[in-house]
Amino acid sequence: MDMVIPKPMDAAVRDFLNRFDFSACMICGTCSNGCPVTGTPGMEGWDTRKVMRMLAYGMVDEVVGSNFPWLCTGCGRCAYSCPMGIDIPAVMAHMKSLRERDKVPGSLHKGMANNLETGNNLAISREEYLLGMAELGVEMAEECPGFFVPVDKQDAKVLFFPNSKEVYGDFEDQFWWWRVFYAAREDWTVPSEGWEAVDWALFTGNYEGNKKLAKRKIDYMKQYNIERMIMPDCGGGSYGCRKGMDTCVLEDPNNEVGFIYLYDYLMQVIREGRIKLDKSVNAGKRFTWHDSCKHGRELARHFGKGYYDEPRWIVRQCVDDFVEMSPGRGLNYCCGGGGGMWPMPFEDESAWHGRHKYDQIKRSGADVVVVGCSNCRDQIMKRIPKYYTDYKYEVKYLWQLVAETLILEPWEQDMVARAEAAAKTQWERLGVELDSAEY
């Protein structure tokens, strides 16, 4: 057997890796055994333990040039189980950062560049975005008189960031949050520019981009004196934003702004009685909850608080028949859509990753899987059933479940009149013409 001789390593890469005590690695294989990437067709012979040993021997170029870091969803199951606590997802993210930008797989780098340049991943124009918000608001007002989407509202209590895929195509997915805000009589707003919820800089290892996207949100909140923002739902939104915001605060403590996670917000409006729910609308179906990796173990590991109990409490306020998936909470399996795997060109590999999630859902016997992340929702609802076909289920966002369970109480006439006047003034100010709207 040939002797493996460590290679010289770039000083900057060595400085980064020195933050992780590779000598603590016991080569036990726990990381590989717990990682759904292990055994991926086309990546035979590769696993997390092997990659960690390759890096220890200076084989950085070989790792960076491979697909392995891009098949890693950053789910954190490896680090959660590592007896030495090595932050393996951070290492994989750094390997992504070393890839030349024009060689980043799929649309991730282009989407991130679009976001920095235009304010959203899909380069949707300001005019198209505002017109869409206005028209959807008119449609929503048929069910909820007085509703409109408030844009750039000064001194609002809550700031909400939409997702470009919903602005571009999945239009009605926005109605779920809007119904909650309407029922709670929330004082909320969305930005007219720089409104993208998702942070693809996190998925591509672009540290500078991650900071810029977070600073954009911070500056907007300060400009309009907004009390707090709801952290965007998906891992690339909430976790990426939190990482970027922490960097900004470390550079300047004045960058600190108020925020609330979606779970805390929904619990608050339910407990305060600002919205009312009717469980009977969900009778006859069994529900389960999927623990998002970034909202659970990764948030807990890096920020000291993961969301496990809160979503389960919210689901139980909406349904009578709830069942757990196994394993759950910190040991839960990733769906396979995180880390940029949903929009990337590795569909077969992503579906392989999701095989454990499918098995969990099937064994639970649930009719409906409730999720708190847009990537998880798309992966579990669209990709997994395409590959695993013998068990049928529905997928709902947590806020969709709440919105569908609402007892919707219409606003008083004077409140409706004030809202319609405010909508007319706002759209005129923003230069949006709605000939079909009747305010």
Side-chain angles (χ1 to χ4, degrees):
M1 181 179 294
D2 295 335
M3 180 180 296
V4 177
I5 301 175
K7 295 183 175 182
M9 190 181 296
D10 178 83
V13 177
R14 180 174 294 280
D15 287 343
F16 176 85
L17 293 179
N18 279 341
R19 294 164 47 187
F20 308 94
D21 190 359
F22 275 65
S23 64
C25 176
M26 300 187 296
I27 324 177
C28 65
T30 300
C31 55
S32 298
N33 290 334
C35 175
V37 177
T38 301
T40 299
M43 291 295 293
E44 291 83 0
W46 286 78
D47 58 43
T48 310
R49 176 172 61 174
K50 177 177 179 177
V51 169
M52 295 296 283
R53 299 320 297 161
M54 289 173 70
L55 293 176
Y57 280 102
M59 300 172 68
V60 176
D61 291 343
E62 289 83 349
V63 173
V64 171
S66 76
N67 285 335
F68 194 89
W70 303 96
L71 301 185
C72 169
T73 64
C75 78
R77 209 167 186 270
C78 52
Y80 184 88
S81 302
C82 176
M84 305 312 293
I86 300 174
D87 192 354
I88 300 171
V91 174
M92 295 300 174
H94 196 68
M95 295 302 107
K96 291 181 178 181
S97 77
L98 299 178
R99 177 74 70 93
E100 294 177 30
R101 297 295 90 182
D102 62 350
K103 295 180 180 178
V104 170
S107 61
L108 290 180
H109 177 65
K110 180 180 179 181
M112 191 279 302
N114 280 342
N115 196 348
L116 288 173
E117 182 178 346
T118 72
N120 65 90
N121 293 339
L122 299 178
I124 298 168
S125 70
R126 184 176 186 270
E127 293 72 23
E128 183 181 358
Y129 163 72
L130 291 174
L131 182 60
M133 287 295 179
E135 290 178 338
L136 287 171
V138 171
E139 182 179 341
M140 181 81 168
E142 295 175 6
E143 178 190 16
C144 304
F147 178 86
F148 74 101
V149 180
V151 179
D152 294 343
K153 185 177 181 182
Q154 191 74 32
D155 303 322
K157 292 187 180 300
V158 169
L159 173 61
F160 185 78
F161 290 95
N163 186 316
S164 57
K165 75 181 183 69
E166 297 169 350
V167 173
Y168 178 76
D170 298 338
F171 307 115
E172 294 184 356
D173 284 350
Q174 298 179 88
F175 287 176
W176 310 122
W177 270 115
W178 294 356
R179 281 171 60 91
V180 172
F181 293 151
Y182 181 86
R185 291 162 165 72
E186 187 58 80
D187 178 10
W188 66 291
T189 193
V190 299
S192 61
E193 297 179 291
W195 46 263
E196 176 67 70
V198 178
D199 178 1
W200 283 3
L202 176 75
F203 297 156
T204 59
N206 189 320
Y207 304 126
E208 190 61 29
N210 175 247
K211 184 175 72 171
K212 287 180 179 178
L213 294 176
K215 187 62 164 57
R216 173 190 292 165
K217 292 178 171 64
I218 292 169
D219 290 345
Y220 182 89
M221 290 189 68
K222 289 183 173 295
Q223 178 183 352
Y224 288 93
N225 192 37
I226 297 172
E227 187 174 308
R228 59 184 180 175
M229 61 175 279
I230 295 180
M231 278 285 178
D233 66 270
C234 80
S238 63
Y239 186 80
C241 181
R242 188 77 184 270
K243 293 281 283 187
M245 287 172 66
D246 268 24
T247 301
C248 293
V249 171
L250 283 172
E251 292 181 356
D252 182 356
N254 292 318
N255 284 325
E256 190 156 4
V257 293
F259 60 83
I260 186 171
Y261 279 88
L262 66 95
Y263 309 106
D264 291 325
Y265 177 81
L266 291 173
M267 288 182 69
Q268 185 177 73
V269 295
I270 294 171
R271 283 178 165 167
E272 291 177 353
R274 295 172 60 191
I275 63 174
K276 298 177 182 178
L277 305 172
D278 176 12
K279 288 184 178 183
S280 68
V281 301
N282 297 311
K285 292 183 178 180
R286 173 167 292 178
F287 292 76
T288 190
W289 169 253
H290 162 68
D291 289 294
S292 166
C293 305
K294 285 290 190 276
H295 289 182
R297 57 177 162 256
E298 282 293 275
L299 201 59
R301 195 159 61 86
H302 286 280
F303 297 103
K305 167 64 180 173
Y307 286 91
Y308 297 122
D309 295 325
E310 294 84 354
R312 288 168 169 80
W313 182 88
I314 295 166
V315 172
R316 286 191 173 100
Q317 306 315 300
C318 299
V319 309
D320 285 316
D321 193 353
F322 175 79
V323 63
E324 291 279 3
M325 277 192 271
S326 180
R329 299 178 182 256
L331 285 173
N332 183 52
Y333 278 103
C334 177
C335 67
M341 283 287 278
W342 169 251
M344 279 171 57
F346 300 114
E347 185 176 35
D348 290 345
E349 294 85 347
S350 175
W352 166 265
H353 197 131
R355 69 198 184 281
H356 293 309
K357 179 51 57 185
Y358 171 74
D359 184 56
Q360 286 183 286
I361 296 170
K362 185 177 179 179
R363 286 188 285 107
S364 76
D367 301 299
V368 183
V369 181
V370 185
V371 302
C373 167
S374 57
N375 281 331
C376 296
R377 184 254 202 173
D378 287 347
Q379 174 80 355
I380 296 172
M381 184 174 74
K382 300 176 183 178
R383 181 171 288 157
I384 289 179
K386 179 180 175 181
Y387 285 78
Y388 309 96
T389 60
D390 65 334
Y391 186 77
K392 305 300 181 183
Y393 55 84
E394 296 179 71
V395 182
K396 294 182 184 292
Y397 285 126
L398 181 62
W399 48 96
Q400 176 184 355
L401 177 63
V402 172
E404 291 178 340
T405 312
L406 279 173
I407 300 172
L408 203 58
E409 298 178 339
W411 293 353
E412 299 79 9
Q413 281 303 311
D414 62 335
M415 188 174 180
V416 171
R418 289 196 303 272
E420 289 177 343
K424 186 175 187 298
T425 300
Q426 170 183 281
W427 297 126
E428 287 177 352
R429 169 175 57 82
L430 293 170
V432 177
E433 295 183 6
L434 282 174
D435 295 334
S436 61
E438 296 181 2
Y439 293 119

